Amino acid sequence: MFLSDFRKEFYEAVLNQRVLLLVASDVDALCACKILQALFQCDHVQYTLVPVSGWQELETAFLEHKDQIKLLVKQDDDLEIPAYDDIFRDEEEDSGNESDGSEPSGKRQRFEEEIVERTMKRRRRREWEARRQEILFDYEQYEYHGTSSAMVMFDLAWIMSKDLNDMLWWAIVGLTDQWVHDKITQMKYVTDIGALQRHVSRHNHRNGDEENSLSIDCMRIAFEYDLCLALYQHWSLYESLCNTCYTSASLKLWSVQGQKKLQEFFADMGFPLKQVKQKFHSMDISLKENLREMIEESANKFGMKDLRIQTFGIHFGFKNKFLASDVVYAASSLMENTERDESGTDNFIKALDSLSRSNLDKLHQGLELAKKQLCAIQRTVASCICTNLVISQGPFLYCYLMEGTPDVKLFSRPVSLCLLSKYLLKSFICSTKNKRCKLLPMVMAAPMDVEQGTVIMVGIPPQTESSDKKNFFGRAFEKAAENTNSRTLHNHFDMSIIELKMEDRSKFLDALISLLS
């Protein structure tokens, strides 16, 4: 069913029901969940929350609760919403009044006309089916992301006049998750930021509100044109520059020459190493006053012209300030934490809790995990480039992390492996002189379960300025597995992430090369 009125056809339909909330394992989904939870709490709606990391868990959750599920999707003439079969049907159904051959001879001409008409109708039907298949193929060939789920849920709250500042912050974090993980184009990100900026102005104008501006518990969101340096306000400036993909790739920090460039960069800014290597909040105030402008000026000299980004920051009282990207990194790291032997559900709940301002300890815990994750990514990127692990397979670049590689356990998780793949591709593009390689997509694989002999594989589109972020690897993986009878599991909601038996890796890759050549 297509929804044209989200409030009437979705929210009001579930208002007096018990709701089953199935939430995927990504930060945008967590934020959408938080907004829905707040709305349900406001309207006293009972719900059951079930985290699902893939299609198998989704099916299991549905089967467990199917006896209680009522399908609320309903055909209603007043809604003027066509069903799937109505969209893809012929404009006319064949008539059931067929000739039995007993008509008088005077009607023979009409009978022949009917045969011609039916023949033409069948031909039009075949043409229509062929066109339909072509349209569906073009639609399903690529995988891409639309508007953030959290933004959609916030719009629902706004339409119902139930939007709160907390909900707005979750919508911002959901959008930022799409940007951090490179799921949407820069144009889409800037457009959505503009839409949210109007809501931020509406919710956070407190010029004359002294009570709120001085309250230790107050929450204030502000638009900022800030540095796109990962976690720099909770780290040292030196560590942040070394572990941010854009700066690390641009300066080629995996090389001795790159490290010299970094020293020159700090010298150009006039920042002593003693200052940049200590915690950001401990730096001299005089250095921090014009930090953004000084870094941007020096960055331009070193060819880094995109070091600032439109984003939002949040203040909790006097002490705690976070950028939206800080929260994304923290929540993602909590969700894929491999340091403890905890279930996926436990990690999901911790990540969900970290989004609440009453659980800042969880958020700080996530920030520490995120720092370790970013350091692990940069170490692995440096290792892959210095040991020439990235190889050109013709239509794509390929890299495989061997068992025993440091931090390999972390990269058995889909979001971490995707982040590593994107960092590695950007760094490889900066390191290679081969112009053709700069335009290629990348396939990356890492051991997933040694006992079961499986690897996790991800495909990412090329990193070009004109990239529309459409990913064709989902369909390509399916076709390659089908052509070679490879034992694959397409369990992830993201079709470009699959699980594959180790022994089938070679023939699967050969089929993929043949398919994409």
Side-chain angles (χ1 to χ4, degrees):
M1 181 177 179
F2 295 93
L3 301 181
S4 60
D5 186 336
F6 212 54
R7 175 181 181 173
K8 182 179 178 182
E9 296 158 29
F10 165 66
Y11 194 76
E12 290 181 5
V14 302
L15 201 54
N16 298 314
Q17 308 287 336
R18 183 177 180 86
V19 179
L20 176 64
L21 266 181
L22 302 171
V23 186
S25 298
D26 68 71
V27 177
D28 181 31
L30 288 182
C31 293
C33 173
K34 291 293 288 184
I35 295 172
L36 263 181
Q37 282 180 310
L39 287 174
F40 286 166
Q41 186 177 0
C42 178
D43 290 316
H44 308 289
V45 177
Q46 291 185 324
Y47 65 91
T48 300
L49 174 60
V50 181
V52 288
S53 60
W55 294 108
Q56 289 182 338
E57 289 186 3
L58 181 65
E59 183 182 2
T60 302
F62 177 79
L63 291 174
E64 283 178 2
H65 298 87
K66 69 176 182 179
D67 294 336
Q68 305 169 49
I69 291 176
K70 297 177 182 177
L71 295 178
L72 297 170
V73 179
K74 174 174 171 284
Q75 291 297 318
D76 191 327
D77 294 336
D78 295 333
L79 298 178
E80 296 180 356
I81 300 172
Y84 179 85
D85 290 337
D86 292 333
I87 296 170
F88 296 117
R89 74 175 180 188
D90 201 359
E91 60 278 352
E92 274 187 78
E93 298 296 335
D94 287 344
S95 171
N97 300 322
E98 294 195 3
S99 169
D100 58 3
S102 61
E103 297 93 333
S105 58
K107 294 186 178 179
R108 185 172 298 277
Q109 186 178 355
R110 184 179 173 187
F111 175 65
E112 290 173 351
E113 288 174 355
E114 285 182 3
I115 291 175
V116 171
E117 188 180 342
R118 286 173 190 162
T119 304
M120 294 298 293
K121 198 182 279 187
R122 280 195 292 270
R123 183 181 297 172
R124 287 199 304 270
R125 177 78 183 192
R126 283 195 297 270
E127 290 172 355
W128 180 86
E129 284 286 355
R131 178 62 181 150
R132 173 179 177 248
Q133 289 301 323
E134 185 183 333
I135 292 170
L136 285 175
F137 178 80
D138 289 342
Y139 176 72
E140 295 173 349
Q141 183 180 13
Y142 297 102
E143 185 179 26
Y144 51 93
H145 292 79
T147 302
S148 153
S149 301
M151 282 189 66
V152 173
M153 289 299 114
F154 177 76
D155 283 342
L156 172 65
W158 177 53
I159 289 167
M160 299 190 297
S161 301
K162 293 179 181 178
D163 53 316
L164 303 170
N165 222 15
D166 288 282
M167 295 181 186
L168 176 55
W169 176 243
W170 293 325
I172 289 167
V173 173
L175 171 61
T176 308
D177 173 59
Q178 290 189 317
W179 174 73
V180 165
H181 292 104
D182 210 24
K183 294 177 180 178
I184 54 175
T185 62
Q186 184 72 10
M187 181 63 72
K188 172 68 174 167
Y189 174 73
V190 170
T191 303
D192 287 349
I193 280 284
L196 289 172
Q197 193 174 352
R198 292 190 287 274
H199 291 294
V200 168
S201 301
R202 182 169 56 87
H203 273 281
N204 295 271
H205 61 288
R206 290 178 173 172
N207 297 333
D209 194 345
E210 289 187 16
E211 183 181 345
N212 273 327
S213 62
L214 297 176
S215 169
I216 197 166
D217 298 321
C218 81
M219 170 184 172
R220 183 167 57 85
I221 304 172
F223 172 80
E224 298 191 18
Y225 189 47
D226 213 318
L227 300 168
C228 57
L229 296 178
L231 310 176
Y232 80 95
Q233 295 182 16
H234 309 278
W235 217 347
S236 70
L237 196 58
Y238 181 86
E239 291 286 351
S240 180
L241 273 161
C242 287
N243 293 291
T244 296
C245 176
Y246 180 63
T247 50
S248 174
S250 299
L251 296 172
K252 303 177 186 175
L253 294 182
W254 53 85
S255 64
V256 175
Q257 194 64 34
Q259 289 295 326
K260 286 182 181 176
K261 259 191 177 181
L262 183 61
Q263 307 284 346
E264 292 170 10
F265 180 64
F266 286 126
D268 188 79
M269 288 190 293
F271 284 13
L273 281 178
K274 184 181 177 182
Q275 286 289 326
V276 296
K277 286 190 175 182
Q278 64 182 327
K279 290 281 187 183
F280 179 79
H281 60 75
S282 302
M283 285 178 67
D284 284 351
I285 296 176
S286 58
L287 292 176
K288 289 196 286 186
E289 279 178 352
N290 299 311
L291 178 77
R292 295 171 182 82
E293 290 74 16
M294 292 170 72
I295 288 181
E296 187 177 29
E297 185 180 341
S298 294
N300 285 332
K301 296 177 186 175
F302 284 78
M304 296 182 288
K305 298 182 179 179
D306 300 315
L307 203 56
R308 292 183 78 170
I309 190 75
Q310 297 177 44
T311 185
F312 295 95
I314 192 166
H315 294 260
F316 296 126
F318 302 117
K319 185 179 177 183
N320 295 291
K321 182 192 174 184
F322 305 94
L323 292 176
S325 57
D326 298 337
V327 180
V328 170
Y329 283 120
S332 293
S333 299
L334 284 168
M335 202 145 37
E336 295 201 334
N337 184 13
T338 56
E339 289 188 354
R340 297 178 185 174
D341 260 343
E342 294 182 333
S343 68
T345 302
D346 290 338
N347 287 337
F348 177 91
I349 291 169
K350 284 183 179 178
L352 194 65
D353 287 345
S354 71
L355 296 174
S356 301
R357 52 173 153 160
S358 58
N359 288 312
L360 291 182
D361 56 329
K362 290 268 194 336
L363 183 56
H364 284 291
Q365 182 188 340
L367 289 172
E368 293 307 312
L369 283 173
K371 292 175 190 176
K372 293 178 183 178
Q373 182 196 49
L374 289 170
C375 288
I377 286 173
Q378 288 305 328
R379 281 195 300 270
T380 308
V381 166
S383 173
C384 290
I385 290 178
C386 293
T387 57
N388 297 317
L389 282 182
V390 181
I391 55 177
S392 174
Q393 293 282 23
F396 58 86
L397 300 169
Y398 176 68
C399 179
Y400 177 65
L401 296 182
M402 303 291 290
E403 179 62 36
T405 306
D407 309 303
V408 75
K409 186 179 178 183
L410 172 65
F411 303 121
S412 65
R413 305 297 173 94
V415 175
S416 299
L417 184 62
C418 285
L419 204 58
L420 170 64
S421 305
K422 283 163 184 171
Y423 277 36
L424 179 57
L425 181 56
K426 285 179 183 176
S427 299
F428 181 79
I429 287 169
C430 291
S431 70
T432 185
K433 294 178 181 178
N434 188 326
K435 290 183 180 179
R436 183 176 174 277
C437 285
K438 294 176 186 284
L439 304 174
L440 294 178
M442 174 175 268
V443 173
M444 189 161 193
M448 186 170 185
D449 191 318
V450 179
E451 291 180 3
Q452 294 185 7
T454 57
V455 298
I456 181 170
M457 186 176 285
V458 60
I460 58 171
Q463 291 286 338
T464 57
E465 289 184 6
S466 60
S467 173
D468 54 9
K469 308 300 179 187
K470 289 184 177 180
N471 195 330
F472 56 83
F473 276 111
R475 288 292 173 198
F477 284 167
E478 283 183 1
K479 196 70 178 171
E482 182 185 322
N483 291 347
T484 57
N485 292 321
S486 297
R487 291 162 292 176
T488 57
L489 181 61
H490 303 259
N491 182 43
H492 297 274
F493 296 127
D494 189 337
M495 292 173 61
S496 59
I497 303 171
I498 63 166
E499 296 167 32
L500 174 71
K501 276 289 185 181
M502 186 84 73
E503 310 92 78
D504 296 339
R505 186 163 55 96
S506 295
K507 67 177 182 180
F508 178 85
L509 280 173
D510 289 341
L512 195 61
I513 293 166
S514 174
L515 196 65
L516 299 177
S517 294

